[in-house]
Amino acid sequence: MTVADMNRLEQAARVSMGEFEDSEASAPPRPLVPSASPRLAAFGLAAVIAAIALYELVY
């Protein structure tokens, strides 16, 4: 492989990475909360309410 070939490969890699970074920058941001999280939060809240109710009944 010649130096010219290596330079072309390096340039192609930089162009490719530039396009990759540009596509990441233009992509819409992902939500901070995954879709399953509201269900998990609701389940956790229900568990806490049930634990408090059980505590009130026992004591």
Side-chain angles (χ1 to χ4, degrees):
M1 185 175 266
T2 66
V3 174
D5 290 338
M6 291 189 69
N7 286 340
R8 276 189 232 119
L9 282 174
E10 182 180 355
Q11 185 178 9
R14 286 183 183 182
V15 168
S16 176
M17 286 303 293
E19 290 173 0
F20 180 73
E21 289 170 0
D22 289 345
S23 67
E24 276 190 349
S26 65
R30 292 191 301 179
L32 295 175
V33 179
S35 61
S37 214
R39 279 183 280 177
L40 184 60
F43 180 74
L45 184 60
V48 168
I49 291 172
I52 291 171
L54 183 64
Y55 180 80
E56 292 294 325
L57 286 174
V58 171
Y59 294 105

